[in-house]
Structure formats: C-alpha cells, structure tokens
Amino acid sequence: MMIIMRADATQEQISQVVARVEAVGLRAHLSRGQERTLIGAIGDDRTIDKGHFAVLPGVDRVVPILRPYKLASREFSPENTVFPLDGVSIGGNEIVLIAGPCSVESRAQLMEIAHAVREAGAHALRGGAYKPRTSPYAFQGLGEEGLELLAEAREETGLPIVTEVMAPEMVPLVAKYADVLQIGARNMQNFALLHAAGESQRPVLLKRGMSATIEELLMAAEYILSHGNRRVILCERGIRTFENATRNTTDINAIPVVKSLSHLPVILDPSHSTGKWEYVLPIARAAIAAGADGLIVEVHPHPEEALSDGGQSLKPERFVEMVEQVRRIAQAIGRDVAPSPHRERLASPLGAGRRDEQ
Amino acid sequence: MMIIMRADATQEQISQVVARVEAVGLRAHLSRGQERTLIGAIGDDRTIDKGHFAVLPGVDRVVPILRPYKLASREFSPENTVFPLDGVSIGGNEIVLIAGPCSVESRAQLMEIAHAVREAGAHALRGGAYKPRTSPYAFQGLGEEGLELLAEAREETGLPIVTEVMAPEMVPLVAKYADVLQIGARNMQNFALLHAAGESQRPVLLKRGMSATIEELLMAAEYILSHGNRRVILCERGIRTFENATRNTTDINAIPVVKSLSHLPVILDPSHSTGKWEYVLPIARAAIAAGADGLIVEVHPHPEEALSDGGQSLKPERFVEMVEQVRRIAQAIGRDVAPSPHRERLASPLGAGRRDEQ
Amino acid sequence: MMIIMRADATQEQISQVVARVEAVGLRAHLSRGQERTLIGAIGDDRTIDKGHFAVLPGVDRVVPILRPYKLASREFSPENTVFPLDGVSIGGNEIVLIAGPCSVESRAQLMEIAHAVREAGAHALRGGAYKPRTSPYAFQGLGEEGLELLAEAREETGLPIVTEVMAPEMVPLVAKYADVLQIGARNMQNFALLHAAGESQRPVLLKRGMSATIEELLMAAEYILSHGNRRVILCERGIRTFENATRNTTDINAIPVVKSLSHLPVILDPSHSTGKWEYVLPIARAAIAAGADGLIVEVHPHPEEALSDGGQSLKPERFVEMVEQVRRIAQAIGRDVAPSPHRERLASPLGAGRRDEQ
Amino acid sequence: MMIIMRADATQEQISQVVARVEAVGLRAHLSRGQERTLIGAIGDDRTIDKGHFAVLPGVDRVVPILRPYKLASREFSPENTVFPLDGVSIGGNEIVLIAGPCSVESRAQLMEIAHAVREAGAHALRGGAYKPRTSPYAFQGLGEEGLELLAEAREETGLPIVTEVMAPEMVPLVAKYADVLQIGARNMQNFALLHAAGESQRPVLLKRGMSATIEELLMAAEYILSHGNRRVILCERGIRTFENATRNTTDINAIPVVKSLSHLPVILDPSHSTGKWEYVLPIARAAIAAGADGLIVEVHPHPEEALSDGGQSLKPERFVEMVEQVRRIAQAIGRDVAPSPHRERLASPLGAGRRDEQ
C-alpha cells in the first residue's frame, strides 16, 4: 500500500507511520514530493487492515497497490480455467448455454421446458427449487421436491442441472442433486455460504451481487477458491443503478474487465440483467460479442402463468431464435456454440427477425 | 395493481387482460383515456407475480398500487412500536445508544471498551464475534470464544449485547449469548437467515443492504415479522453510490421516510455510513436531528491497532463528546438520550469542539 | 396520470382531488379498491405539474401514465428516422462510424488521423475544438482555430465533421464549420443550448448525460425536435455507477430500449463508456450486436502524447481491426458497415486477435 | 501522481515511463516492491493528462496524489471564507436562510411570499425567472419580467435576491438584477457558464450536479475562483441514486466533507434533496446539525397551484416552524440563525410539532 501524508504532516508523524509499517512486517520506502510525502509499504499486505494506517496522525489517505485477490487473478494463473460440464467444456473457445425456468413449478412444466431447451441446443438446465423472494408471501420454491424433479429431468434429457443453494447447511443436500451449485446475487457476500460452497466438490456458478464491484465479485470467488474448490463460473447479471427503464443495468464492460483480471469463465444472464424478454436477445448477442463464455437464460412456455419472473422469460421458440443468433455472433468472432451432446435432432427452422409479441 | 395498455392495444388484448385479472381472483376496472386504456386490478395482489400481466400481448407496463409489506407498515400499525432493551425503551421518545468495537479481539480490549462506553452513557454493547469480511484472508472473528467474552462483558457492566449472526443454523447459538441479533447489510436479503431470526425470541437489529431500497428494507423486516418476531430495529448504515469521498453515502432521508412508512424503531450507524471517524460526530448529530431513535457506533481505544474498521472507530474520549452533542440535539427537538441504567458515575467533562486528531 | 389516494383518505379529500383534476381541463375517473381509491386523470397532461396533485390532502402519490415526450417517441412516429450524412445514411440498415481525436491539437495531428480513419473506413471525423474539461487548468481546445483545421481536414479527406458546441451563442459559429453539432454529456440538460441547437439547420449528435435516465435523454431530444430540428442522433456514452474498474458503465440495455421507445438513430461511444482502450473493441462489437446504428470512437496515433483522453484512444491500426470486427458482427445480424464514399483504397490487412499492448 | 507498473513490466518499460515523467518536467522516484514497481512523479502535475502514462506499455494504473483543485482547497486557504450578503455574513458562525418560490409566477405571488419569508426570518429571497425544465412543454419562467419582479420585491422587502442564470451570455443581464447568481445542478459542469460567472462581480451560489462527486463540485468552484470571483457558496441539493422513495438522496456526508476539504461556505437545499415537503423540516434540521452554513428552501403559499415544484414547497406557516426548529438546532451546537436585518416584527407563535398535512 501507499500511505499519502497530509501536506502539513510533521517529521515526527512521518516517523511514526514508518515505525508502524515496519511493526507489521512490511518495509517502508519514503518519497518526498514538493507538497506531500508518500510512504510505500512494501511486502504482501493483503491481510493487513489499511484502516490502521489511515487513522495515524498526519495521514491523508491510504492507496492499496496490490489487488486483494490472488487465486482468482490472471496474474497468479495466466491461462484460462477450463473445466468440463457433462460433455461440454466451459471457459474454452466454445460457448455454453444454460437455460430453464426461474422456478421448478411442477413435473409437467419442468419436463416440457427441459426437452425444449435441449432441442434448441442448451447444454445445461437451470431451475430453482429454493427461491430467494423479496416478499415472504411469494412462492418460495418446491424445496427438496423441486430437487427431485430436477434430477428426474436430468435422467430424461441428459442435461446437467444448475440450481441455487441459499444456506450453508443446505449445500450437502443440494449438491446431492445438482451438477452445479448456483449462488445468487443476494448471497454473493454470504460468506458462510461461500465457505461451504468452497468445501463442496461441485462447480459453483457465482452471480455478481447487484451492487458488488468487479473486485468484490473476484473476492467472493477467492473465498470459494481458497477453500479448495477451483471450479467457479462468474456470472454478470446486471447491477443496480438509477436507470429504471430496465430491471437492472447490464454491465457489459464487466465481461472484458473480468476476462482481463481473472482466468475464470464468465457468463451473462440477460434475463435478470434486463428484466424484460424483449431485450434478452439483443443483450445475449452483445454478451457473446463482448467475449462472454456462455449465457444463462430463463425460458418458460407460458410466461403469463410462471410463478416467478414471467416478464423476463423467453418462450421456447424465442429461445431457439436466440441460440441461432448467438451462434452467428460467436462465429463472427472465431468461436462457436458448443455442440450439444444431448440433443437428438436439429432445432426447427428459425423465425424471421424480431416480432413484437413472443 | 394498475395495468397500462399500449396505445395500439386491441380490444381483444384488453379483454384477455381482464379475463386474466379475474382468473387470479381480482376484480378488473377499466378506464379508457384518450391515448391509453388502464385496467385496475382490485383486491389484495401482494402475492401475485406482476410479471404475469407484463407479458400479456398489448400490455405496456404494470404499476403496483399497494405497498408490498403489511406488518411493517404504519398503515397496518399506526402507533410506534416501542420495546424494552434491558432497562431502556427503544422506539419511544428517548434516544438509545449502542457502542462498542467492530470485532471482539480479546478480553482486555472488550472490557476496556465496555466500561468506557458504559461510563459515557451507552445503553448496549456491540461487538462482532463472527465477522463478514470481504477478504477470506482477513480476521474472521473469534467465533464462540467471542460470544463468551461478550457474555462476560455483560456480566461485568450490565450492558445488553448486540452481535451479528451470519447463518441460519447459527441463530440458536448466538441467541444463547446475545440480547439482540444483528443481521448485517450483506445479509439483508439472506432470506433463510431472516426466516430463522423471525423464529427466534430475540429482538433483531436489521441493517439496510448497501443497495437496498427502503421498500426492500421494509420487506426484509416483513420476513422477520411474518415469522412471529415483532421486535425489529431498522438500521440505516449508508448506501452505495458513485461518491467515493466517503465509504458509503448516509441516506439521511431514510430516517423520516422510514418513520413515515413504518412503526418500527429506526437507528443510524454513522461509523459505516461515513467510514471515517472525523465524520461520525456531525452525522450522529444529523441522525438525531432528522428523527432517528438511536445510534450504533464503533468505539475502540486504539483504532490504529483494531483488527477491523480502525479508520472509522471513535476513541472513547470522542465518544463521550458525541454523547454530549447528541444529547443537546435531542433536547433541541424535545427528546433526550435515555438515562443509562448501568452507569455508576457521570462522564468526564467534555473536550472543547472539533480537534484535528482524535 | 393516476392519483393514488391514501388508505385513510376521506370522501371530501377525494372530491377535492376530482375537482382539481377537472379544473385543469382533465376528466376524472374513479376506481375504488378494497384498500385504496385511485383517480385517473384523463387527457393530455404532459404540460401539467404533477406536484400540484401530490400535495393535495389525502393523496399518497401520483403515477404518470403517458410518456412525457411525443416527437421523439416511436408511438408518434413508428418508422425509423433515417437521414443522410454526406454520402451515407444514418438510422437505416447500415452502420455508420465516426472517428477521430478527442481534441484537435495541431494540423499535423488532425490530418494524420483524418487520413488514417478514412482509410480504415470511417464515415465522419470527430474532433473537439472547444473542450469541456473538469479542470480549469487543463487544455481547453484550440477554439476557432480548431474549427478551421477541421474544415481543412474535410477539404482534404471529404469526411464530414462532428464537433462539440458548448454554449448557445456559439451555435452559429460552430455550425458554420461543422456538419454535425455535438452536444456533450455534461450539457445534455443545458436547455438553452438544446433550444439553440433545435433552431440550427445542422444534425445534432446528442450524448446522454452521465446520470440521465433514458427518459431524460429522450426529453432532451424532444427539446431539439420541438424547436424544429428533426435530425437528432442519440448517443449512449456510459453512465455513472458505483463500479470504478471502468471510467463509466456502458448501459448496453439502452440500445434496444431506445430503439423500442424512439425512432431516432442511436449510436454508442465505447471510448468514453469504458475509458480504457483495451475495452473499446469488445464493447464496440457488443454495441453493434445489440442493435446500435453506429459508433463514435476516439483515435490517436500517439495516445501517450494526446492532450486529452489518451488512455481511451485507439491507435489507427487498432481502429482498422475494430472496423473489421464490427463489420463481421454487423453481417452476422443481417446489417453491414456502410461503404465509405471517401475511401480511395482498401484498408491494410488486419492484425490477428487481441494483443496486450496497442 | 503514482504510476503502478504491472507485475510483469520489464526494466525497459520502467525506464520508458521514467523518461516520460522527466519529459513533462516532473521528477521520477522509483520504489520496487516484491510484486510491483511504483514510479512516483514528483512536482505539480495538476495540468498534466494522467492518461498519457496509463497507456504506456507495462503500466497497470495511475493514482493521482495531489487534489486537482487549489484555490478551493482548505490546504491553500485554511480560514473559512466569510462574506457579507446585504446585512448578514455567510460562512461564519451564523446560519443564513434563503427562501422563496421555485418560479416567479406573478407580482402578487412573489410579494406575498417575499413578505412571508422575511417575517419568518429569511435573509434572502430566491425565485427563478429562467427555469431549467426537463420538458420543453413545461413553464419556462417569466424571463426578464421575472427579474424585474424580483428587483421590485427587493425594493419592498429589503431582501437580497438569489436567482438562476442558465447561459453565459445571460450573466450580465441577470447580474443587473440579482444579488447572487445561482448556477443550477444541471449546469454545474457548464464550463462556459462557470467561466462567465467567474468574471462577474456577483457572489455565486453553485449547486452540486446530481451525479457530481464532491471533488467535481470543488473543481467547478475552482473554475469560478480561477476567473477572479472569490465569493462562491456551495450547495448540496441531493444526488441521484437507486433509491426512489425520495426525489434525490440528500448526501448529508457532503456537509462535513466539504467543510474539511474547502474553506467555502456550504448550504443545503432540503426541498430538492428530498422532493417532498414532508421531509423538508427533518432534513433542514439535519443539515444544520451536520454543520451547514445555511439553507435554501422553496416556499409557496399555495403549493397545489405552483407552476413548478409544488410537491416540495413549504407553506409559509411551515417555514416559520422550520426557522424555529433550525434555530434550536443551531443553538445546540453553539451557532445561531443570523438575525434578520430586514424583519420589522417577530414571527408568529409556532405550531406544535409535526402535522400530517401542511
């Protein structure tokens, strides 16, 4: 870290800071400017509270120099992390598509969607059995029954399952059924949960918190990595801003920024990042154009009856169209959508362009 | 809710929306304007997903009319909720002060602070045994040993204990030691934790999430209330904005807004809402002037050695000054700081005004 | 608008609101729910201050129904606005590229860049003669001399000129030299300037303010349109959020949202929306994938010597690469980069993929 | 500034940065850490584009050390700036109150309000003759006729006039009538206007832009100061955040932050910072408790008929109450509301506490 002294700092104050820097095992390096003295604290200070120095007399402010994450950083691990997800690889050159309903509602609903998204080319099935809902009066998910239905859907379609876990003590149960543990945006800094997920053997899909910085997202990944689980997929799902024309603001910059700072795969969730189905296709295309390694998308055959997130779910026929558009964008940048190991026949021919209603 | 149709919506689309409104048990009421048709859905729609209607053909958007919380609302419960906290009342006319270290670090540290804040007039002792830390490499708290030290401090000083609980399965353990369960900003929408806290017998101090709207804060309180626990204290602790001169932006508006929307007590945490000890006193005064029912403040005798949040902790002598200033503001608006049932003698005479170093 | 009464509103208060609605020439339409009464105010209320109604006794809040802009809206004008820009069309199927330095610094600098971007396929030359700078001590632009150099560059290359105007009384002077008047983000709500630009005969490139909502952007366009100038290009250039890994947050959602709400052409400025040249290419691709009608990009042959915005300027060879990538994305969605009417020979062969330094 | 090299920067890249630092007249100072090399650039770099260095090969990022403003800073000018405003002083120990309508609507309206606020103890009259309105269809102010009415109100009541100027060429006209030139939030970075105001002889009331950082506010003040006008009053008026329960979020932290960074007087506008009259009183009290030097408040005898901002205007009797409450808070912190040199008789007795309707 760099400690910037006030313009009126005394020599004694400077000496006190230097002494303190050395007391915590770092080396101090002075740089006297015309208006300010700077004190560099040299050494690995990632575990040291910078607030200690900020409160010393004569200190103006403290500037961190080292990035606070290590295992998640590309400096530490220059090559892309690539790992298999039941037949496809994520983090490599091919685009991975995860699709399914917001909530598991019933066997019929889930099987209909699972078959539809597999036929359209999806590589994994998403669906919530435990739902974080803003209102205690809203549908909270089917719980373990939902997990069983998801396992049944995997049985039927071959698609691996991505589903959310909301509490540390639930990790073993959810990991029993799921192929990938999802940690939702509201739990991105639920450190007890990150810790538990880090001790699990399942890959983790970690969603960015709605007001988390990219650095905080990488620190949350660091929690999981540092507890031994190296298979983390980062997911941009929109951030909260003043703009209210959309549910969230897709931080498309986050895609190339995360790719440059970290070696972990990064995907985008255009359903949550826009909140309206009309905008899912253009934003899905943009994500791939910007370099995302995949997408996670909500699909529901009857959005007007969905128990949650109806307004942002694609109908299966629009999802087919999305896959085709995404494929063309992927090819335009020298990548491709991964072939589906589970699909038996080709998707139906595409619809022609944007329509006003799904 | 009110459903606003597009300007070009057809009669058939309008009829379809009306049919759907009636299908979920609400009554539809049409209002045809020059440019738009509006469809009012009459009845309690708090549990109905508004997205259902947003996706119907011809619908432009859906405007909620009813506030989504009920038990937390002043409409439901017009009188202020007031409840005792070991000798003082919170939510009434008197101001309650909670103070202590960010983290419990050692017996010596905790006892020194506990005595100091009691002498200064604090009514409860805060201190974290389990610490949510952005970095997995930072000090994570003493755990149960910290809880035992807190219980010992209560034994010695008589001050009730406020401490954080981070996971639902920890609620019984923490409740065994603590008088008030704190739910931190990062867990404000950890619904499993809210549920568990709602089933506990302890009052809950619920901190606003760093990007939570006031409505979401009240919905989080609704979770606790709806699971049977009516003793919730709301806490404004600053929100995340673009401004980076301070750690967070104190949303002082939230004080009168929450008081007008809800009957629950509301306090402010000027340590986190500013992030710098220099600003804690003016913001503490502002909170009381705006109508807050209390404050929660970080105090540490040696901020430069604190294991966390050193930069925003007040030294005990500054805390004494804060109490005196807050008392004068409280009296200026016809309230007062609650007398301390635990204090044996008067605080030392005050320092004179703002000094540059603590 | 819709006026939502408080749950405890009296019949007399309701009558008073109805009377007031009728007094301003609107028709009132009552809708009594179980908990609330709503009063619809029917008629064109775009010019009526909704605050009037918000302050009436018994009123809870007022919800606007009509969008406040008219000329800028797609409802008013369903077909895309397309207009020529010296040999190409903007707003149609073809992508338009505007490129050049942040500031005009010298004849040599400007001519070098103008030739380079023309050869790469740009359709217009940007460059600031009057620069809005945060610091009064920073380079403020060459002023009229800069305008003359821009005119000279047009003479030499045939490229039309896009340049910023910062004050209403400067509009005639800038319009004498420029083909398109740019209104910068900081002036998006400089209403005197919007008024003056609305009376000019030049097309206007209107940049979104850094914390302007999409609705406010369209209202700013409405100012220009309502003063008689129908040739407005909207430009997303990033918004201000809490994220500080990039200079701004590219609101990629704004592209499809603006296209759906308005008939005006919309382009993106990836230089300002990211603030770092490394991210310009992926975000340029994303913009086109999301449906933007063009791009405005900063290019400088020696970014390390630029008098402003060096950190976000592309070198000419990277710009060549960008044009090629953007072309492939455009083709993937059935569009294309407009052929350059000014280019004499083909661009040099492309570099291969992302390099670490420009 | 401090230039932080990438972990993999070569010695040659470091030498190149050092050479460049020296080329712009600064002195380079190397500090080699375990993971990073830092290069301090020593000297006054306020006018140097930091982007130059950010783009050099091997550079990770550039951290500014010096604050970019000078004349506005407390380091430069440690004593509070205090200047007279027609009988009272602003910036000293006494609180100054500016009140009046949002817009000047008519002679009758203005005179009624002017007398009312004078009797209540206001020290200056605010009122807009030129109104920045989001909609081109909304009332835009009476223009010069409004200025004449303001001058007439000063004649009648003795109150100095604060009114907005929206374009540089209007400064001389507005300065002819006004005692204080107001620069609105939307024009805080209208640099041509700041320049013109800096050349005027009138004090300037500079409102913070709705998404301006405190540093940018001080830089805007620096523009005015550096053009020769040293009488600047800074005004916090709420910032734009995700919270929508209020029109803006009052950044109460800004009061002590600005007081610590700058010597200029700072006031708060609780009408705009909340947007609802119900919250004006508590936030006015909070501002004074936090250390503001004054308030600017909207007052209208018939808010339900106001041509703008009706919803946030206080009725005169509430303003009387506000003055009394603010006085008690001021006295609690050892300050006082300035006596009114213009008031002939005492204000009427106060109402008792918060009422639900004005």
Side-chain angles (χ1 to χ4, degrees), chain B residues 13 29 31 34 87-88 114 123 165 181 189 193 305 333 351 356:
Chain B
Q13 290 170 335
H29 182 265
S31 170
Q34 285 170 321
V88 292
H123 309 97
V165 56
L181 302 176
Q189 292 193 318
L193 180 58
E305 295 173 7
I333 58 164
D356 224 358

Side-chain angles (χ1 to χ4, degrees), chain A residues 295-307:
Chain A
L295 297 167
I296 179 165
V297 181
E298 291 186 347
V299 175
H300 199 291
H302 312 290
E304 70 283 5
E305 293 174 9
L307 293 180

Side-chain angles (χ1 to χ4, degrees), chain C residues 282-352:
Chain C
I283 300 307
R285 296 191 307 255
I288 301 306
D293 296 310
L295 297 166
I296 178 166
V297 180
E298 290 186 346
V299 175
H300 199 290
H302 313 290
E304 70 284 5
E305 294 173 7
L307 293 180
S308 53
D309 281 355
Q312 67 193 34
S313 295
L314 292 183
K315 289 191 183 176
E317 52 270 35
R318 292 303 302 263
F319 180 66
V320 169
E321 202 180 329
M322 188 202 91
V323 175
E324 188 47 36
Q325 293 186 3
V326 157
R327 188 188 318 280
R328 287 195 221 118
I329 297 287
Q331 290 168 350
I333 58 166
R335 301 178 77 169
D336 207 341
V337 172
S340 167
H342 311 292
R343 188 157 60 154
E344 291 149 319
R345 48 194 164 80
L346 279 172
S348 50
L350 294 170

Side-chain angles (χ1 to χ4, degrees), chain A residues 22-132:
Chain A
E22 290 166 350
V24 299
L26 302 173
R27 202 150 50 77
H29 183 265
L30 247 73
S31 172
R32 286 179 197 277
Q34 286 171 319
E35 304 185 25
R36 304 276 192 166
T37 293
L38 309 188
I39 302 168
I42 296 173
D44 187 344
D45 60 8
R46 285 188 183 85
T47 63
I48 295 169
D49 184 4
K50 278 133 203 98
H52 285 195
F53 297 93
V55 297
L56 292 174
V59 172
D60 183 42
R61 62 210 148 98
V62 178
V63 177
I65 301 298
L66 300 178
R67 299 222 157 75
Y69 45 88
K70 199 160 188 168
L71 304 177
S73 79
R74 197 173 273 284
E75 285 181 5
F76 179 79
S77 196
E79 293 306 311
N80 282 344
T81 285
V82 182
F83 54 85
L85 200 64
D86 203 9
V88 291
S89 277
I90 187 150
N93 201 49
E94 290 180 337
I95 304 299
V96 171
L97 304 175
I98 306 168
C102 175
S103 308
V104 178
E105 298 171 9
S106 68
R107 173 177 289 110
Q109 173 243 25
L110 188 63
M111 300 308 154
E112 179 179 358
I113 299 176
H115 282 285
V117 301
R118 185 185 66 172
E119 290 322 299
H123 309 97
L125 178 67
R126 61 151 291 157
Y130 300 92
K131 296 300 306 170

Side-chain angles (χ1 to χ4, degrees), chain D residues 288-309:
Chain D
I288 301 307
D293 295 312
L295 297 166
I296 180 166
V297 181
E298 290 186 346
V299 175
H300 200 290
H302 312 289
E304 70 284 4
E305 294 174 8
L307 292 181
S308 54
D309 281 356

